[in-house]
Amino acid sequence: MPDDPAVLVTRDDADPAVALLTLNRPARYNALTVELKSALLAAVEELAKADDVRALVLTGAGKAFCVGQDLVEHAEALRTEPSTAFDTVTEHYNPIVAGLTALPFPVVAAVNGPCVGAGLGFALACDLRIAAAGLKFATAFTGIGLTADSGLSASLAHAVGVSRATELLLLGEPFTAEDAQAWGLVRAVVPADEVLSTATDLARRLAAGPTKAYAEVKQAVRLGAVATLPEVLAAEGAAQARLAVTADHAGAVEAFLAKRRPTFEGR
């Protein structure tokens, strides 16, 4: 029986401005069915409209973060409708990744267990990652005769460099949370039972910060990976002009001059 609901959206008890989005198919290690992908996309779209959310934690229920595409469902699609079996890339994977990266607040991935294929793509679509000690990451695509999707061709190269990303995508060899931390792919490695609390603490910290500035940082960093220097400079100038008239900026400057800690309201 499928898990019900396919995703869970809750709020942090200590700070309701922090939302928690949980992939909820633990019996299958959160393998991605059409049902789960559709529910995840709908949840991301709803969160984008929520004006009271200032940070998000993305995680998986049970022992895994997400092991990628459900190959049982995919094999059935190849047998019955091979011409449409890969429509899920444009219908689900692409908009999920685009939606996560475009959220106007920071997103922290609480990578609590195995993170493979599109699951890795989703984790890298988040802004920061906390990983469980000893867990395994893998790209896995070439092992079933495919190239990367879910933005991994760009996001993995951006995170670890072109040479290492090429190696990881070509060979598909697993790597550990400790490897990922050494490469700068995750912020911290903690015991498995501390992943969610550590990620939530980080999200609370971010939720108390200058949300509009964070949104501009997210856009600037991703633009910087693909744009020319003149394009980056122009984008930075425009972003600073937008932030210059925010209450958070004005209040923080006054707080600095008064030698007190600023309070950010996300406006």
Side-chain angles (χ1 to χ4, degrees):
M1 294 293 292
D3 298 293
D4 185 29
V7 301
L8 302 171
V9 181
T10 56
R11 294 296 182 99
D12 177 37
D13 291 337
D15 185 353
V18 175
L20 176 64
L21 177 54
T22 305
L23 308 181
N24 189 39
R25 201 174 176 232
R28 294 288 295 168
Y29 299 101
N30 301 313
L32 296 163
T33 59
V34 168
E35 177 193 19
L36 179 50
K37 287 177 284 190
S38 298
L40 177 57
L41 177 57
V44 170
E45 291 174 342
E46 283 302 308
L47 285 163
K49 303 172 188 174
D51 57 10
D52 60 341
V53 175
R54 296 181 63 184
L56 172 67
V57 176
L58 175 65
T59 194
K63 297 180 179 180
F65 179 77
C66 175
V67 295
Q69 174 66 41
D70 186 311
L71 292 182
V72 174
E73 184 180 85
H74 183 62
E76 182 61 23
L78 288 174
R79 295 185 196 109
T80 58
E81 296 291 343
S83 63
T84 61
F86 282 89
D87 287 357
T88 189
V89 174
T90 55
E91 292 177 4
H92 301 112
Y93 289 131
N94 292 355
I96 288 169
V97 170
L100 285 170
T101 59
L103 286 172
F105 42 75
V107 184
V108 181
V111 188
N112 53 304
C115 182
V116 179
L120 179 56
F122 294 169
L124 289 181
C126 299
D127 302 302
L128 298 169
R129 286 153 291 280
I130 305 296
L135 78 79
K136 294 295 179 66
F137 293 92
T139 58
F141 292 97
T142 57
I144 53 172
L146 294 175
T147 185
D149 58 33
S150 305
L152 271 176
S153 302
S155 61
L156 191 59
H158 190 192
V160 301
V162 171
S163 179
R164 194 182 302 278
T166 302
E167 175 187 345
L168 294 173
L169 288 166
L170 286 177
L171 300 179
E173 294 173 344
F175 57 98
T176 66
E178 291 74 16
D179 292 329
Q181 184 180 32
W183 301 337
L185 195 151
V186 303
R187 171 180 167 82
V189 174
V190 300
D193 61 356
E194 296 177 14
V195 170
L196 185 56
S197 62
T198 302
T200 303
D201 284 345
L202 180 57
R204 290 173 188 152
R205 172 182 169 184
L206 292 163
T211 312
K212 290 187 179 297
Y214 289 157
E216 295 286 3
V217 167
K218 288 174 55 147
Q219 293 184 39
V221 169
R222 294 191 182 278
L223 175 65
V226 297
T228 64
L229 180 58
E231 290 170 333
V232 169
L233 293 173
E236 287 178 341
Q240 292 292 49
R242 290 189 291 270
L243 293 171
V245 296
T246 63
D248 277 351
H249 172 62
V253 171
E254 293 298 330
F256 176 84
L257 295 176
K259 295 182 170 55
R260 57 180 169 79
R261 190 182 187 89
T263 298
F264 295 109
E265 299 179 0
R267 59 185 181 86

